[in-house]
Amino acid sequence: MMTSFIWNMKTLAIFSLIGNVCIFTGLVLVVVYFFLHSDFSQDLAPLRVGTLTNLPIFFGMAIYSFEGIGLVLPVRNEMLHPEKFYLVLTTGMCVILAGQIFFGVFGFICFKYSTEAIITFNLQKGVVGSLAQLFVSFTVYLTYPLMFYVPIDILREPAKRKFSSYHSYTVEFWLRTTLVLVTFLFAILIPHIELFIALIGALASSSLASSSLPWFMS
């Protein structure tokens, strides 16, 4: 929770950079796990990767993977050289897409029909699997405040007007605390996180992407 009380975008960028290093390390460990536990000699032709009824869930989760669309304008506004933003955005989206394809294909080759919605759930106890889960978890801890920036930026002023009798720092403290606790409760109470991710991707992320289209076209 402590990192959620960081207000400055430039400071958050440092945490995000450390988080990127951690997630890269975790992904490398996941790849190592794939190659240690995959049988590439097996014929994969009979395997079915899904059905048409699962396509809506797939597209919802795929769109959610680009949930950073909500950070497009805030990040651009805070950049030292905003004219380079399009290069940064395009590079980031290409890397995300390539990562999705890679881990989707090799995760299915490794775990087949027992593949979980979150690939780290498939990693068995051991040095490689435990380290991968540790690095991925630490990444969530470090990058959550950056995802937190947009809802706080939207809700800050309405909350201060609503509770104008209190000091602005007190209002923002309780606003941040409440949102973190709500996120925590969602993580505990939702049994099938993949369905919730698909729902958010289909509703929220697609709406954000559509509303951002006129800005990209201008």
Side-chain angles (χ1 to χ4, degrees):
M1 181 183 287
M2 296 304 297
T3 55
S4 301
F5 293 98
I6 300 173
W7 297 6
N8 186 273
M9 176 68 85
K10 292 182 173 61
T11 305
L12 291 177
I14 298 175
F15 282 88
S16 180
L17 177 63
I18 300 173
N20 288 335
V21 173
C22 291
I23 191 63
F24 179 78
T25 305
L27 293 178
V28 169
L29 291 171
V30 172
V31 172
V32 171
Y33 188 96
F34 284 167
F35 284 93
L36 289 177
H37 295 82
S38 296
D39 183 10
F40 295 101
S41 62
Q42 183 180 355
D43 184 13
L44 299 178
L47 295 179
R48 293 179 290 106
V49 296
T51 61
L52 290 177
T53 56
N54 291 330
L55 279 180
I57 297 178
F58 163 75
F59 282 116
M61 296 182 70
I63 295 173
Y64 180 84
S65 300
F66 296 92
E67 84 279 5
I69 188 68
L71 286 171
V72 166
L73 292 179
V75 169
R76 185 180 185 277
N77 293 335
E78 295 287 340
M79 286 184 66
L80 186 62
H81 301 287
E83 67 277 2
K84 297 182 179 179
F85 176 72
Y86 293 101
L87 176 62
V88 174
L89 180 65
T90 304
T91 303
M93 294 185 71
C94 290
V95 171
I96 292 173
L97 181 60
Q100 286 182 343
I101 296 173
F102 178 86
F103 285 96
V105 171
F106 282 92
F108 191 75
I109 291 175
C110 182
F111 304 113
K112 300 180 177 59
Y113 293 116
S114 62
T115 304
E116 297 284 351
I118 300 176
I119 198 65
T120 52
F121 288 174
N122 282 106
L123 306 183
Q124 300 175 359
K125 291 182 179 180
V127 176
V128 177
S130 298
L131 284 176
Q133 293 174 338
L134 177 64
F135 277 108
V136 172
S137 301
F138 195 56
T139 299
V140 174
Y141 175 75
L142 292 174
T143 57
Y144 176 81
L146 188 61
M147 299 294 107
F148 203 57
Y149 183 90
V150 174
I152 285 295
D153 196 42
I154 294 172
L155 298 174
R156 180 187 293 117
E157 293 305 321
K160 289 180 179 179
R161 288 195 298 268
K162 178 71 174 179
F163 303 98
S164 57
S165 59
Y166 297 91
H167 195 281
S168 60
Y169 286 104
T170 303
V171 174
E172 182 154 354
F173 172 83
W174 285 110
L175 175 63
R176 288 174 178 268
T177 301
T178 301
L179 290 180
V180 170
L181 292 177
V182 169
T183 307
F184 179 73
L185 288 176
F186 273 128
I188 292 177
L189 297 177
I190 297 176
H192 300 288
I193 189 65
E194 69 275 12
L195 298 179
F196 184 71
I197 288 175
L199 178 65
I200 296 300
L203 297 179
S205 298
S206 60
S207 301
L208 282 171
S210 300
S211 62
S212 300
L213 183 60
W215 176 77
F216 283 109
M217 298 298 291
S218 61

